[in-house]
Amino acid sequence: MLTNPEVKYRPFISPIALEDRRWPSNRLTKAPRWLSTDLRDGNQALADPMDVERKMRFYDMLLAVGFKEIEIAFPSASQTEFDFVRALIEADRVPEDVTIQVLTQSRADLIARTFESLQGARQAIVHLYNATAPLFRRVVFGMERHQIVDLAVTGVTAMLEESLKRPQTDWTFEYSPETFCFTEPDFALEICERVLDVWQPTPERPAILNLPATVEVATPNVYADQIEWFCRNISRRDAVVISVHPHNDRGTAVAAAEQALLAGADRVEGCLFGNGERTGNVDLVTLALNFYTQGIDPKLYFPAIRDVVKTVEHCNGLPVHPRHPYAGELVHTAFSGSHQDAIRKGFAAHGQRNDGIWEMPYLPIDPADIGETYEAVIRVNSQSGKGGIAWVIEQDKGLKLPRPLQIDLSRRVQEHADSTGKEITAAMIWAIFEQAYHLTGPQEFELVSYQDGTPSRSGNQRVFAGRIRHKGREIAVTGRGNGLISSAISALEESCGVALDVIDYQEHALKRGTDSQAVAYLECRAHDGRKIFGVGIDDDTATASVKAVLSAACAI
């Protein structure tokens, strides 16, 4: 084993000196043409390729998402692939605005079989490829340049001949110099020109030239230079669609695709969530939603992203990572206290602005736009802060906790999180809240009934007269004060010896309408100096405030 393995690798040096490159200054202003190759390239990469049922389910989902070009099969590769193409055509499962695509190698018998599978299609794209890079010419095929050109020309000529036998179909031809990204630029250009000489495309009937990053061998800017150079030098530029098919070997397929579009590409081939050989194809979900966040209609739609995830996971037998951009279960979730606080403040500001513009700390996309809820935006563990816990309580139960109460609850939740070392769910936070502020179960002080008397003639004092259950025994209590809360506190002190000084009181409605409830928050100081909090919830605002007094009394 080498101690310095880097010595056996040679860096890829781009032969293009594009000193006047324009793509870095360009802007993306519209979505490209999209091709999903999930049912072909993605399917070939699965340990257990999809059966017909799963391919049909995936195909229907691709239609629902909005794909207008779908590479559905490699029909000469197996009977299953051939039968799937036939099933779509014979059952009229291809909408009029959708074009199916199939792949073939450059062999006459395979090309004939491919066209046979498409018999009766309204429109179709036939995609032929052959590898062109020096490594493949030398190691895989043992061919010279002219032999590789002859292989491509023979194949595309056979395609043209087969298409003329079936004039009822609207044919589009696609050619890929596979391994384009590490093919000599002049040779990639030469072989594509020879292909176009056979097909003779026009602006009205363009051909597709697909320029794959079959294996990522360099940084995305190098790929962009290659695409821009090719677009500048190919003849009949107005009669060809430049397509890209980036793979993700360096983990930069999305960046490579975006930069290729800046460099002049018109079309992108890829898979949902990046399925494909090795590290996969470019992820079309991420790429499309990147357009979305820049104010560009991606022409692909994910109003229920969770349903798309479930379908892909079922059909591919592969999980979507919980941190996957946009679609992962945790991708909209913040555990960090500082992140949670920023998001909570962002939502408050968003509500106040009410201008329809999404501007949110840490959330580049509104989860609601892809069918997600806000419930999972903030989740709590030992790294979380008071803001996150307050958010969860507000989202789950509608309680808008005063800041001192947030701090008190946060301490209690933090202690629980530290002791368990696990995430704290909304249900667990609510259970801690109910226990801490005496909202459930038999308590030392419980309200039975009360009357709030009118002020006496001698002043502004009010009389509180009620019955409470103290340690399981029902007793009558009476007290005077300048309001309901002070008179209730006075009653507890006179009857039970409970002394509280009120520091702050807040209340708000939990829901609007006839079934609304009120919640009251009481911050008090006991005679020993401790801060004590009480919470009361009731259909009646006044009763909620009395319950808050008793909640605080339970804490002494």
Side-chain angles (χ1 to χ4, degrees):
M1 179 177 178
L2 290 174
T3 57
N4 53 339
E6 68 276 5
V7 301
K8 67 181 182 182
Y9 299 103
R10 287 180 291 182
F12 179 81
I13 306 298
S14 174
I16 296 175
L18 201 65
E19 296 179 358
D20 61 340
R21 60 181 61 84
R22 303 182 189 119
W23 66 262
S25 301
N26 292 338
R27 278 188 67 237
L28 296 177
T29 58
K30 65 178 183 178
R33 284 172 57 173
W34 302 106
L35 174 95
S36 161
T37 187
D38 289 272
L39 300 178
R40 197 280 301 170
D41 196 337
N43 190 47
Q44 285 180 255
L46 299 176
D48 298 307
M50 289 180 269
D51 56 22
V52 172
E53 180 277 328
R54 286 188 292 160
K55 285 194 82 168
M56 281 294 186
R57 180 171 173 180
F58 208 123
Y59 172 77
D60 288 339
M61 179 196 63
L62 292 172
L63 294 179
V65 166
F67 282 96
K68 302 303 180 185
E69 297 178 18
I70 303 173
E71 191 166 55
I72 58 173
F74 199 147
S76 63
S78 72
Q79 191 63 42
T80 300
E81 293 285 280
F82 185 95
D83 290 344
F84 181 70
V85 179
R86 296 306 311 150
L88 291 181
I89 295 170
E90 291 171 4
D92 198 22
R93 296 285 296 270
V94 184
E96 291 186 3
D97 62 343
V98 171
T99 303
I100 54 176
Q101 176 170 309
V102 294
L103 184 73
T104 182
Q105 292 169 310
S106 187
R107 275 176 41 191
D109 58 328
L110 301 183
I111 293 169
R113 179 70 167 164
T114 299
F115 275 86
E116 182 186 348
S117 74
L118 292 166
Q119 183 69 38
R122 275 188 292 268
Q123 63 266 342
I125 301 169
V126 180
H127 178 191
L128 182 140
Y129 74 98
N130 64 310
T132 55
L135 176 64
F136 280 70
R137 298 197 307 262
R138 185 180 72 251
V139 174
V140 180
F141 301 112
M143 290 183 175
E144 300 296 328
R145 274 195 183 195
H146 69 90
Q147 294 172 298
I148 295 293
V149 173
D150 289 344
L151 182 64
V153 170
T154 299
V156 299
T157 301
M159 285 173 59
L160 182 59
E161 292 171 352
E162 290 290 341
S163 71
L164 294 174
K165 299 175 186 177
R166 301 167 178 85
Q168 71 278 12
T169 299
D170 184 6
W171 297 105
T172 298
F173 298 146
E174 176 174 348
Y175 173 70
S176 289
E178 194 199 5
T179 65
F180 164 82
C181 61
F182 51 109
T183 296
E184 306 94 327
D186 66 310
F187 182 51
L189 185 67
E190 176 191 348
I191 197 168
C192 288
E193 293 284 15
R194 293 290 302 278
V195 165
L196 296 182
D197 288 342
V198 174
W199 285 344
Q200 292 295 311
T202 65
E204 294 73 31
R205 298 187 65 82
I208 300 171
L209 294 178
N210 185 52
L211 309 177
T214 308
V215 179
E216 281 196 306
V217 295
T219 49
N221 62 295
V222 173
Y223 187 50
D225 279 355
Q226 292 170 319
I227 299 298
E228 182 171 335
W229 183 90
F230 189 93
C231 289
R232 288 191 195 183
N233 288 279
I234 189 72
S235 66
R236 307 178 178 91
R237 179 62 183 93
D238 61 346
V240 295
V241 173
I242 300 299
S243 181
V244 292
H245 185 122
H247 278 253
N248 199 41
D249 301 86
R250 294 171 57 91
T252 57
V254 169
E258 290 178 331
Q259 292 183 20
L261 291 171
L262 290 171
D266 309 299
R267 182 176 185 259
V268 178
E269 301 186 357
C271 292
L272 302 189
F273 308 120
N275 181 38
E277 295 283 9
R278 305 180 313 279
T279 55
N281 295 283
V282 65
D283 171 16
L284 296 186
V285 176
T286 298
L287 194 56
L289 291 177
N290 282 354
F291 277 91
Y292 204 26
T293 66
Q294 299 305 304
I296 301 170
D297 181 357
K299 305 300 183 182
L300 297 178
Y301 307 106
F302 302 94
I305 193 72
R306 201 57 41 209
D307 292 342
V308 174
V309 170
K310 290 177 181 177
T311 297
V312 173
E313 288 182 332
H314 168 76
C315 295
N316 285 347
L318 296 172
V320 173
H321 195 281
R323 294 292 184 188
H324 195 285
Y326 301 113
E329 287 186 345
L330 296 178
V331 75
H332 304 297
T333 301
F335 288 102
S336 161
S338 61
H339 288 207
Q340 292 174 345
D341 184 59
I343 291 170
R344 186 175 62 85
K345 291 174 180 176
F347 270 100
H350 181 71
Q352 291 174 355
R353 287 197 320 272
N354 194 30
D355 57 5
I357 301 299
W358 184 254
E359 189 180 47
M360 190 66 58
Y362 298 113
L363 291 175
I365 195 171
D366 185 348
D369 289 337
I370 53 175
E372 301 289 79
T373 69
Y374 297 138
E375 293 177 7
V377 168
I378 291 177
R379 287 162 60 175
V380 175
N381 62 15
S382 61
Q383 304 300 307
S384 305
K386 60 184 179 297
I389 294 166
W391 163 272
V392 172
I393 283 281
E394 181 175 351
Q395 295 299 306
D396 191 45
K397 299 296 181 181
L399 275 66
K400 301 176 183 178
L401 305 184
R403 183 174 174 80
L405 184 55
Q406 292 180 25
I407 296 171
D408 188 72
L409 176 62
S410 175
R411 173 181 57 81
R412 298 172 189 271
V413 174
Q414 186 74 39
E415 289 173 355
H416 188 87
D418 286 339
S419 66
T420 62
K422 296 181 179 179
E423 180 185 352
I424 308 299
T425 65
M428 293 166 66
I429 293 174
W430 181 244
I432 295 169
F433 187 86
E434 286 185 309
Q435 181 179 6
Y437 306 112
H438 313 283
L439 297 178
T440 185
Q443 299 294 336
E444 186 171 353
F445 296 95
E446 297 178 80
L447 180 65
V448 177
S449 63
Y450 76 97
Q451 292 180 342
D452 177 21
T454 57
S456 65
R457 291 181 180 179
S458 59
N460 293 325
Q461 286 199 324
R462 305 181 78 93
V463 176
F464 177 91
R467 300 188 67 80
I468 64 171
R469 191 172 290 107
H470 177 43
K471 297 181 178 180
R473 184 171 62 90
E474 191 173 306
I475 61 173
V477 296
T478 303
R480 293 176 180 273
N482 59 8
L484 176 60
I485 292 175
S486 61
S487 61
I489 289 175
S490 174
L492 282 178
E493 185 171 10
E494 292 178 15
S495 303
C496 305
V498 175
L500 293 169
D501 292 328
V502 176
I503 299 174
D504 185 48
Y505 171 81
Q506 296 184 38
E507 64 182 38
H508 66 80
L510 281 178
K511 294 184 292 185
R512 294 179 179 178
T514 57
D515 60 344
S516 65
Q517 285 186 305
V519 58
Y521 309 105
L522 195 64
E523 182 183 355
C524 301
R525 182 176 288 108
H527 280 191
D528 60 4
R530 287 182 300 135
K531 275 189 178 181
I532 292 172
F533 297 90
V535 179
I537 301 174
D538 196 84
D539 295 340
D540 176 68
T541 302
T543 304
S545 64
V546 175
K547 287 183 175 180
V549 171
L550 296 176
S551 167
C554 290
I556 291 183

